[in-house]
Amino acid sequence: MASFATFGNELYTGKRSYDFVASKKIWFLIAAVAVALSILLPVAKGGFNLGIEFRGGSEFTVSNVKTTDATLGEKAVRDVVPGSVPRVANVAGNTMRIQTDKLTDDETLRIKDGLTTAYGVTDNEVTSTFVGPTWGADVTKQALLGLVIFVGLAAVLMALYFRTWKMSLSALAGMLVTMFITAGVYSLSDFEVTPSAIIGFLTVLSYSLYDTVVVFDKIRENTADVQASTRRTFGEEVNLAVNQTLVRSINTMMVAILPVGAILFIGAGLLGAGTLRDLSLALFVGILIGTAATIFVAAPLYAWLRQGEPDLVKQAKRVEQRRAEAAGKADAQATPATA
Amino acid sequence: MARTGPKNSARRVLVWLGVILAVLTAVLAGGTMAGQASWAPKLALDLEGGTQMILAPKVEGGSNITEEQLNQAVAIIRQRVDGSGVAEAEISTQSGRNVVVSLPGTPSKETRALIQASADMNFRPVLQAGAGAAVPTASLTPDDKLPQPTAAPANSSDVNWITADVYKKFETLDCDNPSQDKQERSDPAKPLVTCEPASATSPAIKYILGPVEVKGSNIKSSSFQLQRGAQGAVTNEWAVNIQFDEQGTAKFKEVTERLYQFYVAGGGQSGSDPKAQFAIVLDDQVISAPRSLAVITDGRPQITGGFTEQSAKALSDQLRFGALPISFEIQSEQQISATLGGEQLRMGMLAGLIGLLLVVVYSLFQYRALGFVTIASLVVAGAITYLAIAILGWTENYRLSLAGVAGLIVAIGQTADSFIVYFERIRDELREGRGLVSAVQNGWKRAKRTVLASKAVNLLAALVLYFVAVGNVRGFAFTLGLTAIADLIVVFMFTHPTLQVLSKTRFFGEGHRFSGLDPKRLGAVPLYRGAGRIRTPEDKPAVAVRAKNTGAVAEAERRMTIAERRLAEKQEQLAGSSKSAAKEGK
């Protein structure tokens, strides 16, 4: 690849141009298939793998332990339920609290035995009980309510700022695509859905809209006086704007994704399952998809939504006409540029 | 701005930024000296551990608690905890009987009292009031002088409620040294002898109260504000507003009609008939006994008189949380260690640092010397965010959870985006053939809009989620808003002024090839002022265009104006010198 600056120059002038808008059908198709798969996958799996915070689970209390090493408790649970993520904490002095997902009676008994040996205590020093979800229905309800209000207000804000509701609509479409695919990948990975994952998910939604607003702002600028020009059609102007912001999109995505990727691959690789892994997976996928959705879904959709407007159809005709003329004769005088 | 010259005003802005940072640091240092704040940000439950309390809810009448009531109890506690700051508490149920609350750090006495505060609230009319101290044994009313009810009480304000027993209790009650043993819940249908504990502004008072007339569960909402005077101007008196539901409104109207009679009969403003008072009773203690100065028909009474902001807020909170007849008893309270291994935080930090390092390398590779501006900006943003988190930890009890740390790491990307948008704009301006100084000014004008519009989305998300959501989501919203604001401060007060200053330097201004702003590398030609914007295709790309791109190039060629094409031909003849420039640094 030529240096990035040259790449940027060529994108800026239109010398190098990727056709995001004209080949929109392909992108929409890919997005639609991905979204459909993302919906079908969790359905086929019978929902998401919800963590203890959402479903409640079992809690073991081990008193008078010889050691307060948390890894012993984790190991004792994993021996019985491989791949689970128990939450082990030391409570006041020499008591351990081990929380796990919902268990069968048999599993409960075996874990109890395991904990007894692990911490060197007697049978009656390990008690188990059920705990309810810490992320109960009320938290979910309020979070969803907040999300709906935010999306509604963001749509209004964007419609006011860009002075067209079609931009709002396209931006939201891009956000929805991001949302579904991120959730789909999450379901595919079979990671547990924890509050951290939800937080990551919310971050992704705000990032997705944010990214779209930046690109749309350039589109707004480029198409501001499209009516008066016969240089390019509306769709071409949108495409040029996307190309001109492509370097920024790539750079921003890289900068955002490098730390997250480091956490996902380095942190989670060393630690295995846990909060960090849940969170960084949601973020990693979301940032990638969010950036792509802006370029491949939101922008082409916006061009498509507006192409049919009578004024723009007329303008496109004028462009065609001028190009036909320009191709037909080449005798116009031009003064070379001088500063 | 333009008049003083961009460079001078840029310097001024930078000085102001320094002042802001210094002030924040001084505030934090002051807090630390006073022993209330600390230099390290406060950490949340998952990273630092805290206190785990197991609460047993008690329902009026001692019946067993239903699942629905238990969930309601969780919601109440969550509200109370959220009300005491933005720390993320974990609240859940245990064995379908108890509520488990885990709070980061050690809860203050106020928080503990708030969580435990019984929600048994009701309103009773006052029958008699007296000084808080117990009547000395010598001057107790002899048995034969004790009040004897002459008839069955007609209403709750009827003095016939005061029997000999009740009066005896009233005389012997000592409100200055209240006994600590928990008594049985009072019977709402019977009179109650109780205290209003001494507060900062008033001594203890004891009361004989009539039966319950309005229940706390009839309160829909309550708030506190500065009182408005007759002309609608805000006075400096605090007031607490209550709003009752339909049933409460009707009942309250009936009661105030009766009490207002006592108020008028007792001499109005200067009168002092205790029977005009309507006591708000929480957990069998009077928390306030305002006089009824009017008949309230709309169910929206306002309580005024001697409130400070704090006492108004406290009363309003008590009223709001008093709407459910459940009380909580702390069964056990224990310290609990971090629920996540310290390893998680260490790894997260390490990975985050590695990620940051990658960002540094990437921006230097992308932007050469400009990359240093990005890095410096990130450092300043980091400093502001860190100070803000430490200060908010002290004032708002804001604590960082692992999710919060991850949020900050994502914020690196969004913060850097502002600079990237800005730099790309400057480069676009350079490509148009402007000089660097005006490219910076023009690029900023256009980048500013974009940055503001995109940050508005984040701030909107933060605000909405902060006010609507509960629990962890609120903490997230706080972090999101915080980083968005820090980012705006940095890009406006640091990045842009720095570039203004740098654009005057020879290194940048003349577009040194390592400056990242080399017009030659950006394929700029002098601006042609005449037919508006001019597209200037660069000389042939140094690498062969890949097959799949030839279409695009051909398209671009076709789209050129005649003037452009002429110019392009001209340039190709002159290509020698600039071509070598374009090849450098690859």
Side-chain angles (χ1 to χ4, degrees), chain B residues 132-432:
Chain B
V135 177
T137 323
S139 46
L140 279 178
T141 314
D143 280 358
D144 56 341
K145 291 278 198 305
L146 284 173
Q148 293 297 339
T150 49
N155 58 40
S156 300
S157 295
D158 193 329
V159 288
N160 279 324
W161 283 109
I162 307 177
T163 60
D165 278 352
V166 169
Y167 198 76
K168 251 193 197 156
K169 223 186 204 167
F170 177 66
E171 285 198 325
T172 51
L173 182 67
D174 182 359
C175 288
D176 291 338
N177 308 301
S179 61
Q180 292 300 335
D181 51 344
K182 273 290 269 177
Q183 294 167 349
E184 282 297 295
R185 272 283 163 83
S186 63
D187 184 341
K190 289 212 169 75
L192 171 71
V193 177
T194 186
C195 301
E196 178 174 357
S199 69
T201 47
S202 64
I205 305 168
K206 54 182 170 181
Y207 293 101
I208 302 179
L209 305 173
V212 173
E213 297 218 88
V214 183
K215 286 193 159 174
S217 50
N218 292 128
I219 298 175
K220 223 159 76 176
S221 67
S222 78
S223 59
F224 66 104
Q225 65 185 97
L226 279 166
Q227 204 183 329
R228 292 191 176 279
Q231 277 74 40
V234 176
T235 63
N236 56 0
E237 281 278 316
W238 286 92
V240 175
N241 301 310
I242 306 177
Q243 191 186 341
F244 285 106
D245 61 6
E246 231 169 294
Q247 196 188 353
T249 302
K251 196 79 191 142
F252 201 76
K253 173 169 171 273
E254 182 192 318
V255 173
T256 46
E257 272 168 355
R258 187 176 66 233
L259 298 190
Y260 184 62
Q261 302 289 330
F262 290 117
Y263 172 70
V264 175
Q269 194 57 44
S270 55
S272 61
D273 186 350
K275 288 204 283 295
Q277 290 178 295
F278 201 33
I280 305 169
V281 186
L282 180 73
D283 216 6
D284 288 350
Q285 293 249 335
V286 174
I287 52 174
S288 174
R291 285 192 300 170
S292 186
L293 310 182
V295 178
I296 311 284
T297 54
D298 61 354
R300 290 167 180 264
Q302 185 180 59
I303 307 171
T304 53
F307 283 117
T308 59
E309 184 180 357
Q310 252 139 357
S311 62
K313 178 180 186 307
L315 179 59
S316 158
D317 279 350
Q318 281 171 316
L319 286 165
R320 197 172 42 227
F321 301 141
L324 200 94
I326 295 184
S327 62
F328 299 95
E329 194 180 293
I330 298 190
Q331 287 200 323
S332 72
E333 186 175 328
Q334 295 165 305
Q335 291 301 310
I336 179 167
S337 71
T339 47
L340 285 173
E343 225 178 318
Q344 289 264 356
L345 179 63
R346 266 202 305 281
M347 286 295 167
M349 292 291 221
L350 181 71
L353 279 176
I354 292 172
L356 258 180
L357 205 66
L358 289 172
V359 169
V360 166
V361 171
Y362 186 80
S363 32
L364 287 180
F365 163 76
Q366 264 302 323
Y367 292 109
R368 319 262 158 130
L370 264 193
F372 286 114
V373 180
T374 306
I375 296 159
S377 301
L378 281 175
V379 168
V380 176
I384 292 177
T385 311
Y386 158 78
L387 285 170
I389 287 175
I391 290 174
L392 288 167
W394 162 37
T395 56
E396 304 289 314
N397 198 19
Y398 173 72
R399 290 165 178 273
L400 264 185
S401 64
L402 195 60
V405 172
L408 292 178
I409 289 171
V410 176
I412 294 171
Q414 292 197 326
T415 304
D417 184 51
S418 314
F419 319 144
I420 292 171
V421 167
Y422 179 28
F423 293 165
E424 290 299 327
R425 287 289 199 187
I426 293 175
R427 285 180 164 190
D428 287 353
E429 297 291 328
L430 288 173
R431 288 178 181 127
E432 297 281 353

Side-chain angles (χ1 to χ4, degrees), chain A residues 126-176:
Chain A
V126 183
T127 56
S128 67
T129 166
F130 294 111
V131 285
T134 49
W135 183 297
D138 57 337
V139 184
T140 310
K141 200 183 94 203
Q142 292 304 98
L144 281 175
L145 181 67
L147 201 62
V148 169
I149 294 176
F150 158 64
V151 169
L153 286 176
V156 172
L157 182 85
M158 287 188 288
L160 289 175
Y161 177 75
F162 292 123
R163 300 207 172 76
T164 159
W165 59 267
K166 290 181 178 177
M167 273 208 172
S168 281
L169 194 68
S170 317
L172 292 188
M175 187 191 84
L176 284 174

Side-chain angles (χ1 to χ4, degrees), chain A residues 1-6 8-10 12-18 59 71 87-93 95 97 99 129-136 138-139 142-143 145-147 149-150 153-154 157-158 161 163 195-196 198-199 202-203 206-207 209-210 213-214 217-218 220-222 231-232 236 240 244 247-248 250-252 254-256 258-260 262-263 266-267 270-277 279 283 287 322-323 326 329-339, chain B residues 52 74-75 78 90-96 100 102 334-340 343-344 347-348 351-352 354-356 358-359 362 366-367 402-403 406-407 409-410 412-414 416-418 420-421 424-425 427-429 431-432 446 449-450 453-458 460-461 464-465 468-473 476 480 487 521-523 526-529 533-543 546 548-549 552-553 555-556 559 561-564 566-567 570 582 585-586:
Chain A
M1 187 176 102
S3 86
F4 223 71
T6 315
N9 302 340
E10 292 174 357
Y12 184 77
T13 55
K15 184 162 195 163
R16 179 192 294 258
S17 168
Y18 297 100
E59 176 176 293
T71 49
R87 302 173 38 183
V88 184
N90 167 240
V91 181
T95 304
R97 187 189 76 178
Q99 294 180 325
T129 166
F130 294 111
V131 285
T134 49
W135 183 297
D138 57 337
V139 184
Q142 292 304 98
L145 181 67
L147 201 62
I149 294 176
F150 158 64
L153 286 176
L157 182 85
M158 287 188 288
Y161 177 75
R163 300 207 172 76
S196 312
I198 301 284
I199 300 279
L202 291 173
T203 314
S206 82
Y207 182 90
L209 273 187
Y210 166 94
V213 168
V214 172
D217 205 42
K218 181 72 183 171
R220 176 190 59 82
E221 209 172 276
N222 279 22
R231 181 182 288 282
R232 287 181 203 86
E236 287 163 355
L240 181 69
Q244 288 180 338
V247 173
R248 171 262 150 198
I250 295 172
N251 281 348
T252 299
M254 288 298 287
V255 169
L258 282 173
V260 176
I263 293 179
I266 302 167
L270 292 171
L271 282 171
T275 305
L276 276 178
R277 195 186 69 168
L279 187 68
L283 290 175
I287 291 171
R322 191 191 63 79
R323 283 185 191 162
K329 54 182 186 182
D331 62 348
Q333 285 301 308
T335 33
T338 45
Chain B
Q52 171 182 297
V74 169
R78 195 185 304 282
E90 265 188 21
I91 300 154
S92 95
T93 59
Q94 192 184 55
S95 340
V100 182
S102 306
Q334 295 165 305
Q335 291 301 310
I336 179 167
S337 71
T339 47
L340 285 173
E343 225 178 318
Q344 289 264 356
M347 286 295 167
I354 292 172
L356 258 180
L358 289 172
V359 169
Y362 186 80
Q366 264 302 323
Y367 292 109
L402 195 60
I409 289 171
V410 176
I412 294 171
Q414 292 197 326
D417 184 51
S418 314
I420 292 171
V421 167
E424 290 299 327
R425 287 289 199 187
R427 285 180 164 190
D428 287 353
E429 297 291 328
R431 288 178 181 127
E432 297 281 353
R446 295 159 74 191
R449 276 197 68 154
T450 307
S454 54
K455 293 298 164 202
V457 172
N458 278 0
L460 185 71
V464 171
L465 287 175
V468 177
V470 294
N472 321 40
V473 183
F476 155 75
L480 185 70
D487 174 21
R521 293 186 69 243
L522 295 172
L527 189 64
Y528 169 60
R529 298 173 204 279
R533 299 203 309 186
I534 232 178
R535 297 246 153 270
T536 50
E538 215 201 349
D539 42 307
K540 281 243 161 49
V543 281
R546 285 201 209 98
K548 68 169 183 202
N549 236 326
V553 174
E555 179 74 357
R559 288 187 209 167
T561 58
I562 322 293
E564 285 173 350
R566 287 274 164 86
L567 194 71
K570 239 180 123 147
K586 281 177 194 155

Side-chain angles (χ1 to χ4, degrees), chain B residues 83-106:
Chain B
S84 66
V86 280
E88 296 173 19
E90 265 188 21
I91 300 154
S92 95
T93 59
Q94 192 184 55
S95 340
R97 274 199 315 274
N98 297 336
V99 178
V100 182
V101 184
S102 306
L103 293 161
T106 314

